[in-house]
Amino acid sequence: MFLGKECIALVTGASRGAGKGIALALGDAGATVYVTGRSQAEGDSVLPGTIYATAEEINRRGGKGIAVVCDHGDDDQVAALFAQIARDHDGLDILVNNALNVPDGLTLPGPFWEKPLALQDILNVGLRSSYVASYYAAPLLIKRGGLLVNTSSPGGRSYMHGPAYGAGKAGVDKMARDMAVDFEPHQVAAVSLWMGLLNTERTQAVIESDPELYAHLAAMVESPEFTGRVIAALAADSKRMTRSGKVWYAAELGAEYGVADVDGRLPASPRQMFGEETKFSDVVVQ
């Protein structure tokens, strides 16, 4: 799928993880990709990765990577980011809202009141930051008839990591639906994508901590780039407005577009893993 450098994309939270993979896949498609995050040098996070390394890899793959330091918890920094994109390109084709603060203790066992109160920070850089970025991106997306994507998970419908995580994912899913209504007259598509288990730096660390215990995970993971390949296919679809306002399993949307992962596999949909509550036809197109 080739988008070309005239396609201007922004992926928030792209130092590592899903954001990095999505940015690299859009770079593979030849796009100009802005990547944001706080990690400027190795050691800024306990996990490897920086915005500059992501941008450099995009350049190596034939796209154009532009790293911008941005704390998505700071509205002024977010406003400055979009002002820069407006000055440089006067429009935006793709916004991927992916920035997420993963608080310590998120995966601890037990009920929410026995976990740190700081788990609600995920509602700031995650739910709220997606709204703020979309707010500033909207005029630029309208100029190009662009695409807005919120990265999400089945945790928006089924129990996963507790109510703070679930509320954040359910929130970005509903946000995509409602933004699609406002965007429709301007031919801007808005969707939420439920990603599978991704082979991110965080996942790799978990698997490496006990290879025997987590061997089953290693067989299930998707490349972080797979979601980006699906987004590139959606952006290139002249009928993408028919997809707008929905929450999609990335694997199922990818199957419709014939998108394979980097190893050539067609990732299986995780739908069956999460029970009947993820089959609401008003939320997930079947």
Side-chain angles (χ1 to χ4, degrees):
M1 195 64 59
F2 187 74
L3 299 174
K5 287 186 174 63
E6 67 278 2
C7 176
I8 310 302
L10 165 63
V11 183
T12 69
S15 300
R16 62 189 62 83
K20 177 180 178 180
I22 292 167
L24 295 182
L26 295 176
D28 281 341
T32 294
V33 188
Y34 283 80
V35 296
T36 65
R38 295 179 298 170
S39 296
Q40 302 179 58
E42 294 295 348
D44 286 352
S45 170
V46 296
L47 295 170
T50 71
I51 55 171
Y52 299 114
T54 300
E56 289 168 5
E57 181 64 19
I58 290 169
N59 292 333
R60 284 193 290 271
R61 294 182 179 212
K64 181 178 179 182
I66 302 173
V68 180
V69 178
C70 183
D71 178 350
H72 282 274
D74 184 327
D75 294 354
D76 290 338
Q77 291 187 36
V78 176
L81 163 67
F82 286 98
Q84 177 181 339
I85 296 173
R87 287 193 305 269
D88 292 347
H89 302 286
D90 195 35
L92 184 65
D93 295 283
I94 303 171
L95 168 64
V96 181
N97 284 315
N98 176 75
L100 182 70
N101 176 17
V102 181
D104 293 338
L106 180 65
T107 60
L108 290 174
F112 73 91
W113 61 88
E114 294 179 359
K115 300 181 183 182
L117 182 60
L119 260 61
Q120 50 82 31
D121 288 345
I122 204 168
L123 302 175
N124 182 28
V125 178
L127 176 60
R128 183 181 182 279
S129 63
S130 294
Y131 185 93
V132 174
S134 302
Y135 175 89
Y136 285 111
L140 302 178
L141 290 167
I142 288 170
K143 287 187 176 184
R144 301 285 186 96
L147 169 65
L148 182 151
V149 178
N150 291 336
T151 60
S152 187
S153 84
R157 275 284 177 174
S158 60
Y159 187 91
M160 187 184 298
H161 307 318
Y165 180 88
K169 296 307 180 185
V172 296
D173 292 346
K174 184 61 162 65
M175 197 181 293
R177 279 184 71 98
D178 290 357
M179 287 180 176
V181 174
D182 290 345
F183 275 136
E184 200 222 347
H186 307 283
Q187 292 298 289
V188 173
V191 302
S192 197
L193 284 184
W194 282 0
M195 302 181 291
L197 178 62
L198 302 183
N199 191 25
T200 63
E201 298 85 354
R202 191 181 301 274
T203 303
Q204 291 169 14
V206 169
I207 293 173
E208 290 169 4
S209 69
D210 194 332
E212 291 188 10
L213 179 62
Y214 295 112
H216 66 291
L217 295 182
M220 295 167 51
V221 294
E222 301 170 5
S223 161
E225 296 178 38
F226 174 70
T227 302
R229 291 183 170 199
V230 174
I231 292 170
L234 179 59
D237 184 356
S238 62
K239 297 180 180 179
R240 64 178 174 269
M241 286 302 296
T242 63
R243 311 285 193 179
S244 189
K246 302 292 194 300
V247 179
W248 299 86
Y249 276 99
E252 294 179 3
L253 191 56
E256 291 194 36
Y257 284 124
V259 175
D261 207 338
V262 295
D263 60 2
R265 290 186 306 115
L266 298 176
S269 171
R271 179 186 294 272
Q272 298 302 321
M273 295 174 57
F274 293 100
E276 291 299 317
E277 66 263 40
T278 66
K279 295 186 178 182
F280 284 84
S281 59
D282 65 329
V283 176
V284 183
V285 173
Q286 314 244 354

